[in-house]
Amino acid sequence: MAHLELPRAQVDFVGDIAEMSDDPDPLIRMHYASYQTKVIGFFKVDLDISRRIPHLAAGTFGIRGVLVGGQYQGHGYGTAMLNALPDYLRETYPGANEFWLSVDAHNHAARQCYEKAGWVQIGPDRDGRCGKENVMRLSLEE
């Protein structure tokens, strides 16, 4: 993952790549997105996102740290990753019927990508790294 680049403007939203990938939290599972033989991005599954979004029940599944390397942005990889996510999550976490995340309220591009992939904004907002974050839900029920 050392080859992944992160535009400076995105560091404010997600932190740096080393910080994200070295998460010691035992309830975090790293997942990688690849194209051909290269890792182009990653995301984390939080097995208890209620620690970050307190109004959710304990043990609620969530997504954190969605990232596509800067050198791969603008080529449709992020869209493809988010579109493939529901099937991947159903297969990898068969007991989960929904996932939650929060996205910075000022990160309009990310929020639009999530919405296109089926995520729905459901309040209340939370305070995050850069200010207000919108809370979003993805239903895995078919």
Side-chain angles (χ1 to χ4, degrees):
M1 292 204 326
H3 72 284
L4 293 177
E5 299 169 4
L6 186 61
R8 183 75 196 122
Q10 287 182 286
V11 172
D12 292 339
F13 294 125
V14 298
D16 66 35
I17 291 175
E19 175 188 339
M20 291 177 64
S21 62
D22 292 336
D23 195 328
D25 187 331
L27 295 178
I28 296 295
R29 304 293 183 268
M30 290 291 296
H31 297 268
Y32 301 93
S34 60
Y35 177 72
Q36 297 177 345
T37 60
K38 287 212 180 241
V39 171
I40 55 122
F42 60 88
F43 64 93
K44 302 180 210 181
V45 168
D46 189 331
L47 301 179
D48 187 5
I49 197 77
S50 72
R51 298 172 302 156
R52 291 194 173 268
I53 307 174
H55 73 275
L56 298 176
T60 299
F61 288 86
I63 299 291
R64 293 179 36 207
V66 177
L67 179 120
V68 173
Q71 68 269 46
Y72 301 109
Q73 293 177 13
H75 301 286
Y77 296 119
T79 298
M81 181 172 72
L82 290 176
N83 287 338
L85 198 55
D87 287 339
Y88 178 81
L89 293 172
R90 278 186 205 98
E91 181 178 317
T92 309
Y93 299 94
N97 60 2
E98 64 184 13
F99 275 77
W100 293 79
L101 61 74
S102 61
V103 59
D104 189 276
H106 297 101
N107 193 345
H108 302 292
R111 196 172 63 246
Q112 287 178 336
C113 287
Y114 292 128
E115 288 171 347
K116 286 180 191 176
W119 293 82
V120 177
Q121 184 175 333
I122 299 177
D125 290 346
R126 69 177 286 269
D127 292 324
R129 179 188 287 263
C130 297
K132 288 292 178 195
E133 291 184 354
N134 301 135
V135 174
M136 303 185 82
R137 176 184 176 267
L138 176 68
S139 174
L140 298 181
E141 296 177 350
E142 296 183 278

